[in-house]
């Protein structure tokens, strides 16, 4: 039976970058006989324009029944005045909840060929190889929220940050297992000097860690982590943290590590998992065919590895991406003199040629 | 009548760095006839060891009655096993609440003489001059917190993030006024695509901003801000944000801007304000007399400026600090070959000699 991949291009450059990734998947499919099959669905502002909602039920249902989801990007100024509950980003939040995507894995690896794109000095960033494991369907993101008059008669808004022991156990277990396949080191990030949720998090993480004697765990406050990522990024192997801290730290890490256009992510669910580049929908360059497809292509490699256990094919894609960069191919976002400037389609073909 | 300054050295290097700052204050006092008077009080682990509490009532009362408070630093591994409510950091949280210190001002300025200490490439960081205005007595820091069984019978912890309109108005007004004395630009940072508190924050900030036609305001998501600080720090003038985001972003900004040992802060209250360096208590080097006193000395300059309106004296200190750095004086944290290595006391005397 074919493996069903639901492709959700979304908005802006979403179409061109998922086209690139699908072309690469089709090429490895030929070589490694993966038997992949693709269905396309709408989400984000595009879906809102067509159906009045950012996440149509058909899209969610198809995603739930798929073997894996490849996601582009959503959002754009165009929908700035849409009601909060109907904004494009509700599509990705809805998919996370609807698919139970409890963990977001974001590798940040500084390739030597791209070290110049990091804002950090080369001596600091060289060798950076961090995997951020972010809890994705809990915390203040999905806690109760409201706005009403408080006892003083003034307006006040509330958001409930919260974590349960099983939620923390699940994500820390995944981080520990991830570290076992890497350098065996986990840094658990919280704000235990202030938050009750962080104290429960830290206590639970210690209990989980005790079950993995081959992994070393340390704890770090989130403010310190924001500093250490900038001055000492190579000290990290796996970072595990909650939804909100993970949102901030993974974006910081991505940009410090080098080009954000290259960074993939995997959102792991109990059944289906979802894969997307970490960059946004870049409406300013949408439709021009110049977007960098590599973040999405590397996300497709993660899809093969995590959802289809097709490690060989995943390795081939990752190696091909390294090769095209060493060969000097650059999309506009990374271009500087002396390199070969290519558009989305040409970059995609260059990757395929290197498979 | 003399101006009463309550000095709270705290733990670790707190004593040596506040000694340095007081020596500098005494020197400017002579020159500018400020009529300053000092009282010393305990807080943090030191207070816990003596009195069983991190913030003795005497300390809080004296601080409330002072014209200004000069604070060193608190904390250390030594108190790791103390109950959460008695930890050293409760001293600073208690002072913030007890003095109503609603705004934390943290200037991050990259001096050309120190540009090499930034982890960022010089071309990116040169000219960085950001003032972070962090709300300090609201948000999830002081919202209700608890831990109990949830409806499933599993343990869950909660922290209530919350902001009222008046709280947001007060801090955004201060940010706007701060920007008027600078480049006239405020970036309000929130997570309005996810949090109800952030939507209230963003709406209220827009209303406040409308009263300041001479200031330009824009909004930014916190994850994007964590990125922009790293790749484009010179785009910022004033950043205004809530307590938790401010904690993370101000530490990130401080370390990206250059040496954290040099960064001062002012915590503004309705009556008394408090001044402290942003670095910690560094127990590993405490008592050795080698700590960098410049962050505390620059905090003392902020004290003169904000609490005593002694702008001339504040300017003199800030200029003297610039001068000693240009003259090549460096404490151990900033030392490299070719510079004049000095200890805490010598650095302090060098500043005084340059007044
Ligand atoms: C679009 C937004 C809701 C989302 C988040 O905050 O999780 C994004 O920043 C991300 O990290 O995927
Ligand atoms: C010590 C801690 C409670 C404090 C905070 O989180 O506010 C510190 O990180 C700071 O920024 O002053």
């Amino acid at each position: 039976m074919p493996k069903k991949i639901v492709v959700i291009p979304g908005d802006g450059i979403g179409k061109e970058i998922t086209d690139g990734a699908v072309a690469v998947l089709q090429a490895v499919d030929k070589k490694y006989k993966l038997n992949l099959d693709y269905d396309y669905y709408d989400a984000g502002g595009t879906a809102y324009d067509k159906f009045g909602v950012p996440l149509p039920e058909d899209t969610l249902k198809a995603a739930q029944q798929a073997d894996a989801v490849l996601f582009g990007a959503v959002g754009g100024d165009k929908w700035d005045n849409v009601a909060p509950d109907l904004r494009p980003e509700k599509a990705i939040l809805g998919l996370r909840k609807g698919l139970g995507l409890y963990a977001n894995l974001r590798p940040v690896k500084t390739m030597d060929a791209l070290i110049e794109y990091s804002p950090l000095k080369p001596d600091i960033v060289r060798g950076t190889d961090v995997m951020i494991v972010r809890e994705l369907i809990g915390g203040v993101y999905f806690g109760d929220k409201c706005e009403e008059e408080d006892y003083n008669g003034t307006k006040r808004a509330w958001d409930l940050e919260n974590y349960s022991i099983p939620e923390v156990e699940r994500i820390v277990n995944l981080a520990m297992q991830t570290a076992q396949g890497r350098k065996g080191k986990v840094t658990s990030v919280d704000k235990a000097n202030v938050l009750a949720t962080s104290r429960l998090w830290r206590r639970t993480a210690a209990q989980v860690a005790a079950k993995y004697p081959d992994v070393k765990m340390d704890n770090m406050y989130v403010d310190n982590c924001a500093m250490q990522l900038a001055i000492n990024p190579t000290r990290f192997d796996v970072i595990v943290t909650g939804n909100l801290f993970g949102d901030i730290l993974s974006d910081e890490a991505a940009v410090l590590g080098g080009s954000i256009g290259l960074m993939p992510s995997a959102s792991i669910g109990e059944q289906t998992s979802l894969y997307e580049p970490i960059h946004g929908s870049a409406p300013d360059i949408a439709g021009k065919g110049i977007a960098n497809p590599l973040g999405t292509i590397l996300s497709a490699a993660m899809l093969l590895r995590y959802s289809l256990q097709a490690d060989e094919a995943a390795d081939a894609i990752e190696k091909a991406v390294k090769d095209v960069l060493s060969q000097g191919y650059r999309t506009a976002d990374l271009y500087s003199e002396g390199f070969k400037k290519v558009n989305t389609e040409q970059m995609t073909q260059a990757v395929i040629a290197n498979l």
Side-chain angles (χ1 to χ4, degrees), chain A:
Chain A
M1 239 182 47
K3 299 285 182 193
K4 176 73 74 191
I5 297 179
V6 160
V7 183
I8 304 178
D11 307 323
I13 58 171
K15 182 176 176 338
E16 29 211 302
I17 56 176
T18 49
D19 280 353
V22 169
V24 172
L25 282 173
Q26 286 172 328
V28 289
D29 190 353
K30 247 189 220 151
K31 193 160 166 195
Y32 296 93
K33 309 271 171 278
L34 304 171
N35 198 10
L36 307 177
D37 190 40
Y38 308 86
D39 274 343
Y40 284 77
Y41 284 87
D42 288 306
T46 314
Y48 174 81
D49 289 346
K50 282 196 206 171
F51 312 107
V53 290
L55 182 60
E57 250 178 66
D58 277 1
T59 302
L60 179 57
K61 210 174 277 169
Q64 283 165 335
Q65 286 160 8
D67 289 291
V69 178
L70 183 68
F71 190 88
V74 289
D77 315 342
K78 193 183 157 189
W79 300 284
D80 267 359
N81 296 318
V82 170
D85 280 347
L86 298 174
R87 293 266 168 81
E89 57 264 32
K90 293 294 158 185
I92 185 67
L93 294 172
L95 281 165
R96 289 177 188 166
K97 201 67 183 178
L99 295 173
L101 305 176
Y102 67 93
N104 186 229
L105 301 188
R106 286 201 186 180
V108 173
K109 207 167 165 163
T110 303
M111 299 187 203
D112 280 339
L114 293 179
I115 205 163
E116 65 191 292
Y117 297 105
S118 169
L120 293 178
K121 291 176 180 154
D123 285 351
I124 291 179
V125 78
R126 187 174 296 114
T128 296
D129 184 1
V130 190
M131 176 68 90
I132 301 193
V133 179
R134 166 187 175 193
E135 199 291 326
L136 203 57
I137 49 171
V140 75
Y141 271 64
F142 294 97
D144 288 343
K145 8 187 95 2
C146 74
E147 185 178 321
E148 49 187 49
E149 297 203 343
D150 68 9
Y151 61 94
N152 280 324
T154 64
K155 273 247 173 155
R156 184 177 289 270
W158 285 271
D159 294 278
L160 197 57
E161 166 72 310
N162 68 104
Y163 271 112
S164 72
I165 289 181
E167 284 172 344
V168 179
E169 284 172 344
R170 178 165 63 171
I171 191 81
V172 176
N173 269 306
L174 183 68
M176 291 287 155
Q177 286 151 17
T178 304
Q180 285 178 322
R182 296 173 47 99
K183 283 179 243 140
K185 211 177 126 190
V186 172
T187 302
S188 171
V189 175
D190 63 36
K191 185 77 192 175
N193 48 356
V194 174
L195 303 179
T197 38
S198 285
R199 284 192 286 273
L200 176 137
W201 180 287
R202 191 173 277 219
R203 218 173 57 225
T204 307
Q207 276 157 9
V208 173
K211 295 189 299 169
Y212 299 86
D214 51 333
V215 176
K216 228 178 95 61
M217 194 185 77
D218 61 353
N219 298 288
M220 194 179 270
Y221 294 137
V222 60
D223 44 335
N224 188 24
C225 187
M227 294 200 281
Q228 298 302 324
L229 282 170
I231 53 180
N232 199 5
T234 57
R235 87 175 283 299
F236 295 104
D237 178 19
V238 173
I239 291 176
V240 63
T241 190
N243 207 344
L244 183 62
F245 296 158
D247 179 48
I248 301 169
L249 295 174
S250 64
D251 271 7
E252 181 191 347
V255 88
L256 290 172
S259 165
I260 199 155
L262 260 128
M263 304 282 173
S265 81
S267 297
I268 306 295
E270 271 163 55
Q271 308 267 335
T272 311
S273 297
L274 176 149
Y275 303 85
E276 56 167 332
I278 76 155
H279 62 69
S281 60
D284 49 317
I285 59 161
K288 298 192 180 159
I290 59 170
N292 186 347
L294 295 179
T296 319
I297 289 171
L298 290 170
S299 299
M302 292 186 90
L303 181 156
L304 294 176
R305 192 183 304 286
Y306 291 99
S307 283
L308 306 180
Q309 283 70 49
D311 282 348
E312 254 188 311
D315 288 344
I317 294 178
E318 284 164 3
K319 190 179 166 302
V321 167
K322 256 200 181 147
D323 290 344
V324 298
L325 291 168
S326 308
Q327 289 156 19
Y329 293 100
R330 297 284 187 273
T331 41
D333 53 318
L334 295 181
Y335 177 74
S336 59
E337 241 191 83
F339 289 99
K340 297 172 203 152
K341 191 165 184 175
V342 289
N343 62 24
T344 311
E345 169 66 19
Q346 291 164 329
M347 182 59 106
T348 303
Q349 290 310 325
V351 172
I352 291 173
N354 276 279
L355 282 170

